[in-house]
Amino acid sequence: MRRFFGGLLLAALVLSSSNAAQAALYSENFDVDNTVNWTTNDPGVTDILVDYHYDYSAIGVGAAPGSASTLGLKMTANNTNAVFGGFSVSPTGQNFTGSYRVSFNLWQNYVGPVGLGGSGTTQLSTFGIGTSGTTGIYPGVWSESVGFAATLDGGSTSDFRAYSTTNVTSYPEGDAVYAAPAGARNGSDAYYAGFGGTAAPAAQVTLFPAQTGVTDGGEIAFAWRAVTIDVDDVANTATWSIDGLKIAEVSLAGQALGGGNIFFGHSDTNTSSSSDPNDTLLNVTLIDNVVVTAVPEPSVMGLGLFGATLAFVRRRRR
């Protein structure tokens, strides 16, 4: 009998933890044109393009996992001005507090040949938390937020990067914020070997014949990636993962955050622009299925269900 009630109590705690696990705070799948509900924060240093209702099948990309359409957010920058810079976008007026998870699908695309990369392909997709949602954020002038970036083509010695208000030019190679052994940031490191070996979609190759080849080891481009940023209000950290692989964890202690909003962005890492006529189509960041979920303390519901179960046990013993 004791085993039964002990098991019942354990089941109650597990169930309560599961039920309390996540509550949706915000979602955007871009299937409806909600441009009016987004803020484009453009510092004005270089050319940018952003489309909140972009049909990415136009470049041969299939629907993101779980999507009913091929509509999403498209971003690209520095395709004509040849000036280092970028921008960010945020859902207007959002403010997230406590512990929460930001999840989204990310597709990175670049001018071929795939793997080697074509003209001007070493650009960055960026995303993060803690912004006011009204300030343009990009590497080099990073401000008011904690965030992360990945190169489109794996063509940098720093393909995976973490930023904060205390490390505006990114945490350096070897820093403990990176999950890879010895803090490696280059996609060639064995830690990232699960990425790579991916070809551009056949439909894209048909449209753009130069998109031949496959991605190098450690490249995350040309595939829909499940990206998460977990904000832990207790540990005071923000943790970035791609397809379940932890990439970096940044402490929020001492950060001069601008607010509780999230952002997505795109920037170039060079003071030159692509010479490819299709650069605005192919050197892009695509985002789909943005969801922010609360992660409440399991004990909140757990204690309630635990108490109810305990009362039941006591009645059975009488």
Side-chain angles (χ1 to χ4, degrees), residues 62-314:
S67 292
S69 75
T70 52
L71 295 165
L73 166 64
K74 170 192 171 181
M75 297 175 289
T76 187
N78 195 32
N79 292 299
T80 59
N81 285 2
V83 177
F84 168 77
F87 71 108
S88 61
V89 303
S90 293
T92 304
Q94 296 298 318
N95 183 57
F96 307 107
T97 60
S99 295
Y100 60 92
R101 164 173 283 193
V102 183
S103 62
F104 56 95
N105 294 123
L106 167 70
W107 180 286
Q108 293 183 299
N109 210 99
Y110 60 85
V111 169
V114 176
L116 178 63
S119 176
T121 56
T122 307
Q123 300 183 358
L124 293 171
S125 303
T126 61
F127 29 83
I129 57 96
T131 177
S132 63
T134 59
T135 297
I137 298 168
Y138 68 93
V141 294
W142 202 278
S143 65
E144 69 158 36
S145 64
V146 166
F148 310 97
T151 55
L152 299 187
D153 65 354
S156 168
T157 57
S158 307
D159 294 313
F160 300 95
R161 310 179 187 191
Y163 297 83
S164 71
T165 63
T166 57
N167 285 265
V168 298
T169 58
S170 84
Y171 290 84
E173 178 84 10
D175 196 287
V177 302
Y178 300 107
R185 304 191 298 169
N186 193 307
S188 63
D189 188 85
Y191 185 76
Y192 306 106
F195 304 131
T198 305
Q204 186 170 117
V205 178
T206 298
L207 292 168
F208 308 97
Q211 297 297 99
T212 56
V214 297
T215 54
D216 296 327
E219 281 187 42
I220 65 172
F222 297 101
W224 282 113
R225 303 295 180 181
V227 180
T228 57
I229 303 174
D230 288 302
V231 177
D232 189 327
D233 192 44
V234 177
N236 209 20
T237 56
T239 303
W240 169 35
S241 300
I242 302 175
D243 291 349
L245 180 69
K246 181 178 177 180
I247 306 298
E249 180 176 289
V250 175
S251 173
L252 300 179
Q255 302 294 344
L257 302 181
N261 210 336
I262 60 176
F263 74 88
F264 304 93
H266 186 102
S267 69
D268 200 350
T269 61
N270 302 293
T271 55
S272 59
S273 290
S274 174
S275 60
D276 193 283
N278 297 311
D279 56 358
T280 60
L281 293 172
L282 297 176
N283 286 341
V284 298
T285 296
L286 301 177
I287 303 289
D288 207 348
N289 300 322
V290 178
V291 180
V292 181
T293 49
V295 184
E297 293 298 320
S299 59
V300 174
M301 287 185 65
L303 288 176
L305 188 51
F306 178 84
T309 307
L310 185 59
F312 171 77
V313 171
R314 286 172 175 168

